[in-house]
Amino acid sequence: VLAPFLGHLIIEQHFHLSLALFILAGATDLLDGYIARTWPTQKSALGSALDPLADKILISFLYLSLTYAELIPALLTGLVISRDIGLIAAVFWVRYKTVPLPVTLSKFFNPCYTTAQLKPTLFSKVNTAIQLFLVAASLAAPVFQYTDSVPLQCLWYVTAVTTAASGYSYWHYGRKTVRVLNTRSP
């Protein structure tokens, strides 16, 4: 919900408020994850599908707006978003292959049909943390006047390497990262 508003604030160069809202969004995401892990009754199929999608939407909005504000290079944003589009496409493909026949839009988008579960790789978890750390560092850069610093530029390269490694890990490990819960009957 905050993603478009946060993107607008970044484009308008309200970096103090953007940084504060990003920290708030991160805290509520951590709290949501903690609640889902601690109290199993608070975990749902819909929530487990929407949470990673919401994270991808937030990261995409943030990277695009930070690129517009010239705080993150366009090539890095392209890499991050391309990897996420590839992952979403793979999830849609697995979903299509595992939804019971005949595949209809109502079955395909019905969260009650939990047919597969994606297990994030270690590279993916590390990459997400580094991507979010780069967002925080980039939002803080104009606030604390270090936009041209070498450590920030090094973080761009680290983020690019972990993003590529994460994408490769999903491609390489493929079937090991997906647990099919229901299969189609022949």
Side-chain angles (χ1 to χ4, degrees), residues 10 14-16 18-19 22 62-63 65-67 69-73 76-77 130-149 151-153 155-156 159:
I10 292 167
H14 297 290
F15 298 116
H16 287 86
S18 300
L19 181 59
F22 175 70
L62 291 170
Y63 271 77
S65 53
L66 285 165
T67 298
E70 298 180 352
L71 294 171
I72 289 181
L76 178 56
T77 296
I130 290 172
Q131 284 180 352
L132 292 172
F133 181 70
L134 176 59
V135 168
S138 297
L139 284 173
V143 173
F144 298 105
Q145 288 87 33
Y146 64 86
T147 53
D148 294 326
S149 73
L152 183 61
Q153 294 170 9
L155 188 54
W156 296 344
T159 305

Side-chain angles (χ1 to χ4, degrees), residues 47-60 88 92:
S48 62
L50 288 180
D51 187 56
L53 182 61
D55 291 345
K56 303 230 175 298
I57 290 169
L58 179 65
I59 285 176
S60 295
I88 291 168
F92 273 87

Side-chain angles (χ1 to χ4, degrees), residues 118-176:
L118 182 66
K119 295 178 283 184
T121 65
L122 177 61
F123 279 127
S124 179
K125 290 180 179 186
V126 169
N127 176 59
T128 300
I130 290 172
Q131 284 180 352
L132 292 172
F133 181 70
L134 176 59
V135 168
S138 297
L139 284 173
V143 173
F144 298 105
Q145 288 87 33
Y146 64 86
T147 53
D148 294 326
S149 73
V150 172
L152 183 61
Q153 294 170 9
C154 289
L155 188 54
W156 296 344
Y157 291 103
V158 170
T159 305
V161 168
T162 61
T163 299
S166 170
Y168 174 77
S169 74
Y170 277 113
W171 176 80
H172 180 74
Y173 293 110
R175 295 182 195 271
K176 294 176 186 173

Side-chain angles (χ1 to χ4, degrees), residues 8 10 15 17-18 24 31-32 34 36 58 61 75 77 83 91-92 95-96 105 123-124 135 144 152 155 169 177:
H8 175 73
I10 292 167
F15 298 116
L17 184 55
S18 300
L24 176 66
L31 179 63
D32 176 57
Y34 173 76
L58 179 65
F61 266 95
L75 285 174
T77 296
R83 175 199 164 267
V91 166
F92 273 87
R95 178 71 172 171
Y96 172 76
L105 285 176
F123 279 127
S124 179
V135 168
F144 298 105
L152 183 61
L155 188 54
S169 74
T177 63

Side-chain angles (χ1 to χ4, degrees), residues 5 21 44 76 155 160:
F5 181 64
L21 284 177
S44 70
L76 178 56
L155 188 54

